[in-house]
Amino acid sequence: PAQRSPVVGGVVLGLCRSLGSALIMASAVTYTRVDDVVTITLNDGKMNAFSLERLAQLNAALDRAEAENGTIAVLLLGNVKAFSAGFDLKVMGGPPSSAQYDLFMAGANLALRLFDFSRPVVIGCTGHALALGAIFLLAADVKVGQLGTRHKIGLTEVAIGMTVPVFGVELARHSITKTALEDSVLHSKVYTPQEAQAVGLLSLVVPPDSFHAVCVSEAARLAKLENPGYVKTKRYLRKGILDHMRATLEADGVRLKPNDSKL
């Protein structure tokens, strides 16, 4: 199984796991397996903002994927409006609170889980991917976008007065080109899919009519990579960045608790 990043904030991940097990069957997160490709689709009919409930449902789907027999890859999709526009701003847009801290820690741990997942993860960017949605893209092994669309992709936290968390900065540093890193992270530059591919936010950009087929093909290709070779090599490659993100996660999160500094 994938090594899970520690949740120093108490019961946050446990709460997400128990919520997710109960909710996945009737949720905005759906799960299918065809051959060696597990497809997890996020679709709340809106912008797929991440609440505690939605993160719990996604964690439960990943638990199920890890329990599958044989070698599989995960394909994560959104809806036609958005892959995800990030954290639920009804929670994150207010003053510091315990709810903000819990949501931040749950989202951060899920990003780390995707980056460290024991099987390959492909994300199909079905629409906009902003803030945490873009950070999740960076955590995937392969991220596929759609050519010629008006989808907006970027780390927009600073533009709305928030701080890009350490784990977001480090995932950006891992994938985004050096020349584009400050524009992407510090200046909140938003990209078209073609531009996002050029700077490293996307791996592939394909025409919309072949998008789903390419996503499935990429996942099927990566599903052939067997463990323990795949997961051990992945962790050798990513150990330094994972260790740093885990070590800084709690200090990053406590900024969101009441009576601490603003984001």
Side-chain angles (χ1 to χ4, degrees):
Q3 182 180 349
R4 302 297 292 275
S5 52
V7 179
V8 192
V11 297
V12 176
L13 189 54
L15 173 64
C16 281
R17 293 284 293 275
S18 59
L19 275 171
S21 297
L23 295 170
I24 189 171
M25 294 306 293
S27 76
V29 177
T30 59
Y31 183 106
T32 58
R33 177 176 178 176
V34 177
D35 299 323
D36 293 332
V37 176
V38 165
T39 300
I40 300 170
T41 304
L42 313 174
N43 186 8
D44 65 1
K46 302 175 185 177
M47 296 295 287
N48 282 333
F50 287 117
S51 61
L52 271 180
E53 178 182 334
R54 193 73 65 244
L55 293 168
Q57 293 164 349
L58 185 48
N59 264 310
L62 292 172
D63 288 344
R64 184 174 171 185
E66 283 192 305
E68 291 279 4
N69 293 323
T71 60
I72 59 100
V74 170
L75 170 59
L76 185 56
L77 301 171
N79 62 36
V80 295
K81 295 180 181 178
F83 168 66
S84 173
F87 280 124
D88 183 353
L89 290 180
K90 291 192 296 292
V91 176
M92 300 305 283
S97 65
S98 295
Q100 276 192 10
Y101 170 80
D102 289 346
L103 183 55
F104 173 87
M105 294 299 286
N109 276 283
L110 185 50
L112 269 63
R113 185 181 188 187
L114 290 170
F115 191 60
D116 190 41
F117 202 62
S118 60
R119 297 303 305 150
V121 176
V122 175
I123 291 182
C125 191
T126 53
H128 303 307
L130 302 169
L132 187 64
I135 291 173
F136 277 18
L137 282 182
L138 294 169
D141 296 292
V142 174
K143 32 269 188 187
V144 185
Q146 298 182 54
L147 186 69
T149 61
R150 295 185 179 181
H151 298 162
K152 297 178 180 179
I153 301 168
L155 283 73
T156 52
E157 287 87 348
V158 174
I160 58 173
M162 302 174 79
T163 302
V164 180
V166 174
F167 71 90
V169 171
E170 293 305 318
L171 289 171
R173 203 191 309 275
H174 179 76
S175 292
I176 293 176
T177 62
K178 185 176 180 180
T179 54
L181 186 61
E182 288 207 358
D183 251 2
S184 300
V185 179
L186 185 58
H187 303 154
S188 292
K189 185 167 181 178
V190 173
Y191 299 96
T192 66
Q194 297 95 305
E195 292 167 340
Q197 182 190 22
V199 302
L201 272 159
L202 292 175
S203 312
L204 303 170
V205 179
V206 299
D209 59 1
S210 61
F211 169 74
H212 188 265
V214 170
C215 289
V216 171
S217 174
E218 284 296 299
R221 175 179 68 85
L222 295 179
K224 295 180 173 64
L225 301 173
E226 296 185 358
N227 282 337
Y230 171 79
V231 68
K232 284 188 174 181
T233 304
K234 185 181 208 175
R235 289 175 182 161
Y236 290 157
L237 183 65
R238 299 180 178 180
K239 183 180 188 304
I241 183 173
L242 282 163
D243 286 350
H244 179 61
M245 291 190 293
R246 290 179 178 126
T248 56
L249 186 54
E250 173 65 10
D252 218 13
V254 295
R255 297 176 298 107
L256 303 178
K257 286 187 171 181
N259 302 319
D260 210 319
S261 59
K262 191 180 176 182
L263 263 175

